[in-house]
Amino acid sequence: MNATTRPRIPGVLALAASLALPACVHKEDLSDPEALMSGSGSGSSSGDDGSSSVSATSTTGEGACASNDGTRTRLDIYAGPAEDPTLFGIEDVAFTSAGDVAIAFIQGNHQWAIQHADGSIDFAAPPGGLEHVGVVRALPDGRWAVADSNLTDVGDWVQLVEADGTVAWSGHWDMGQPWSYIIDQLVAFPDGSALAQLWWIDQTTNGRLTQFAADGTVLTTIDVSNALRGAMVGTADGTVWALAPGETGTQIQRYTSDDYATPAQTLSAPGRTGQRLRLDSNGRPVVVSADIVHNPSTDGPVVWVDVFDPVSGEIVNSYNNEITAGMGLTIDVAPGPCGELFVVGQRDYTAWVASLDDDGIVWDDTFEYDAALYADVAEDGALVVVGQASVPDASVLTIGPWIARYEP
């Protein structure tokens, strides 16, 4: 794809180097929660009180990872290309294992940006040939899974794109209802297969999952009418965790690769509206949610970060902005490779980033940009955080993405 490269607008750079500690990368069978909790590693589950302890300095397992002490090594905000400098409305963000960041925007002709780990950024057309890429997933080998986020006709709406930009396969499920449906969730597996969810509007809101083989062949379609699954997260063996509405709150559901229609396991978060879902390095679901009931005229939302035991369904760690000292309003969570848990969002109307352990906040950082929206941890342990804000420019009001990095 033809790319336009723009220099970054430098922000605040931290000067101190952080300390790298030996740690672990666990290779567990995420489809077997019993094995997860009984195997050796840094995570443990107690039998009575539901508490757990995670060590960030364990040396079991293979590979290596490093603790992150909150040293911010880069903070950059970017304007788009000169002909279209404003880039607002982030639709989706994907992080590569090398620490690159891909951003899909709602606005404008430049709907795709990628910041490389060295801080340089390219603006270009998105990979593949879809009209409007709004859903982005990064595979470990440099491939991309992308999906169209506009109201879609009966043409292709999901693609697997090779690292060199060629399209490996294009897929769709022909509903015969042009311009009435849109992609909601996308999971891409390392073998090139995918699971896509779309919703459409007729008399009611409906949803459907479509399972694609590694060559793009449609294997099955599953009706999930009036129970749209949100924040689907897949693992290498085809297991999928997903959020779904329950009668009294949110459900966290686990599906196995041989049956995406019926959950093999359901956990509950009563009284909560689920917003983000991740799996930590011990295979435990981590859910960002908000209290369903609050009075916005007298108090703000209560936002929770809960870690669930995947066997018992109990909450083993819980944090929120009312009971956890120094906690802001969490928007996203980024599990580290050694049991670390990073959260990002907003505190006192500024961007907020923090690291959590069993006792609460280990370190946190705030800076004068709007709320942090997305976060992830690269293979080398770097925490990468994304938001958007007004770009400092005396001549014109320009909105662009900002990206912060915390190197281990």
Side-chain angles (χ1 to χ4, degrees), residues 148-163:
D148 199 319
S149 65
N150 275 348
L151 290 175
T152 306
D153 63 10
V154 295
D156 295 326
W157 42 259
V158 61
Q159 289 183 335
L160 185 73
V161 184
E162 301 286 0

Side-chain angles (χ1 to χ4, degrees), residues 377-404:
V377 178
E379 277 187 344
D380 65 359
L383 172 64
V384 187
V385 185
V386 179
Q388 63 182 11
S390 298
V391 179
D393 188 327
S395 61
V396 63
L397 176 62
T398 299
I399 299 173
W402 60 258
I403 302 175

Side-chain angles (χ1 to χ4, degrees), residues 362-375:
V362 179
W363 59 257
D364 67 352
D365 186 26
T366 59
F367 45 90
E368 296 295 328
Y369 283 151
D370 297 343
L373 303 176
Y374 300 88

Side-chain angles (χ1 to χ4, degrees), residues 1 12 60 91 94 97 119 214 238 241 287 344 386:
M1 57 186 178
V12 178
T60 59
E91 284 197 277
S97 57
W241 290 85
V287 179
V344 304
V386 179

